[in-house]
């Protein structure tokens, strides 16, 4: 049903697509991943209103464990209901969800509550099953936005020891050096980006800017 629904979406037949998607949900109305998969398919196909209605359906699923709280928090994040999002993610984090710690850190970043974002993201970095290039980038950005460029650079460097080819880590570190006004090192790092990613427009633009320094 799901794949056929996606085929109908590709043909622009939203009515038949929704009929198939409803059939998928009817198989298990408590499966968050099903709702989320359909939400993504609808959103990617440009059906924004239908995608929002689909993800709202997950709010009726009981949340009584870490995964349930996290899923509900993720839904509120999508719906941009940040206070409810924080409430659910906090419960998930307290129940041991590293995914929740990461998303909670991202939410606090968006709210410019950096002192709350930092410990949540540090939890993720310290966890083997949660550590990722995205987590290092988020924590580095947390320091960067507080103008703590040395800590930001250190965080990006640490991330690059595990994810040496991550384009975002590379560019963020170069930008941090630039904001630190270490222009020679910034130029070296932007060149490093272009050596691996020749089409990176940010690095090209910033090197042109630095050439006048």
């Amino acid at each position: 049903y799901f794949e056929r629904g996606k085929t109908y979406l590709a043909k622009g037949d939203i009515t038949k697509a929704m009929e198939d998607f409803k059939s998928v949900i009817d198989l298990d109305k408590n499966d968050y991943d099903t709702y989320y998969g359909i939400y993504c398919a609808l959103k990617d196909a440009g059906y924004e209103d239908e995608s929002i209605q689909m993800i709202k359906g997950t709010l009726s699923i009981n949340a009584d464990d870490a995964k349930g709280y996290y899923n509900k928090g993720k839904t509120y994040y999508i719906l941009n209901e940040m206070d409810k999002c924080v409430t659910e993610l906090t419960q998930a984090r307290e129940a041991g969800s590293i995914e929740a710690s990461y998303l909670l850190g991202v939410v606090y970043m968006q709210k410019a509550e950096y002192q709350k974002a930092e410990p949540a993201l540090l939890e993720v970095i310290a966890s083997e099953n949660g550590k990722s290039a995205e987590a290092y980038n988020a924590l580095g950005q947390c320091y960067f936005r507080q103008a703590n460029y040395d800590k930001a650079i250190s965080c990006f460097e640490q991330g690059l020891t595990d994810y040496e080819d991550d384009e975002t880590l590379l560019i963020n570190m170069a930008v941090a050096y630039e904001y630190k006004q270490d222009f020679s090192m910034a130029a070296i790092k932007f060149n490093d980006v272009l050596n691996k990613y020749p089409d990176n427009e940010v690095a090209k633009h910033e090197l042109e800017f630095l050439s006048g320094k």
Side-chain angles (χ1 to χ4, degrees), residues 151-193:
K151 287 190 79 170
I153 289 166
S154 177
C155 186
F156 297 138
E157 284 179 337
Q158 185 182 353
L160 285 165
T161 61
D162 291 325
Y163 310 96
E164 61 181 354
D165 292 327
D166 185 80
E167 187 173 6
T168 306
L169 281 168
L170 287 165
I171 201 74
N172 281 343
M173 183 163 64
V175 170
Y177 274 113
E178 186 175 16
Y179 272 75
K180 187 185 174 184
Q181 298 192 331
D182 187 341
F183 300 123
S184 60
M185 185 59 75
I188 291 170
K189 296 302 180 182
F190 281 123
N191 273 307
D192 288 345
V193 175

Side-chain angles (χ1 to χ4, degrees), residues 89-190:
L89 291 178
T90 298
Q91 292 186 81
R93 180 187 179 191
E94 290 171 351
S97 170
I98 289 298
E99 289 178 306
S101 295
Y102 173 73
L103 186 52
L104 193 59
V106 170
V107 171
Y108 282 137
M109 288 268 289
Q110 292 179 358
K111 292 161 69 75
E113 296 181 17
Y114 303 120
Q115 301 307 313
K116 293 181 179 179
E118 182 179 347
L121 293 169
L122 281 169
E123 285 177 12
V124 181
I125 298 297
S127 168
E128 281 302 318
N129 63 339
K131 186 169 59 173
S132 66
E134 290 79 12
Y136 281 113
N137 270 313
L139 182 59
Q141 283 294 313
C142 183
Y143 297 134
F144 179 87
R145 293 182 189 182
Q146 297 174 83
N148 193 334
Y149 303 125
D150 286 332
K151 287 190 79 170
I153 289 166
S154 177
C155 186
F156 297 138
E157 284 179 337
Q158 185 182 353
L160 285 165
T161 61
D162 291 325
Y163 310 96
E164 61 181 354
D165 292 327
D166 185 80
E167 187 173 6
T168 306
L169 281 168
L170 287 165
I171 201 74
N172 281 343
M173 183 163 64
V175 170
Y177 274 113
E178 186 175 16
Y179 272 75
K180 187 185 174 184
Q181 298 192 331
D182 187 341
F183 300 123
S184 60
M185 185 59 75
I188 291 170
K189 296 302 180 182
F190 281 123

Side-chain angles (χ1 to χ4, degrees), residues 19-30 34-35:
E19 288 174 359
D20 274 350
F21 291 151
K22 183 178 183 301
S23 295
V24 177
I25 289 169
D26 285 344
L27 295 173
D28 186 353
K29 293 184 178 180
N30 291 316
T34 296
Y35 284 94

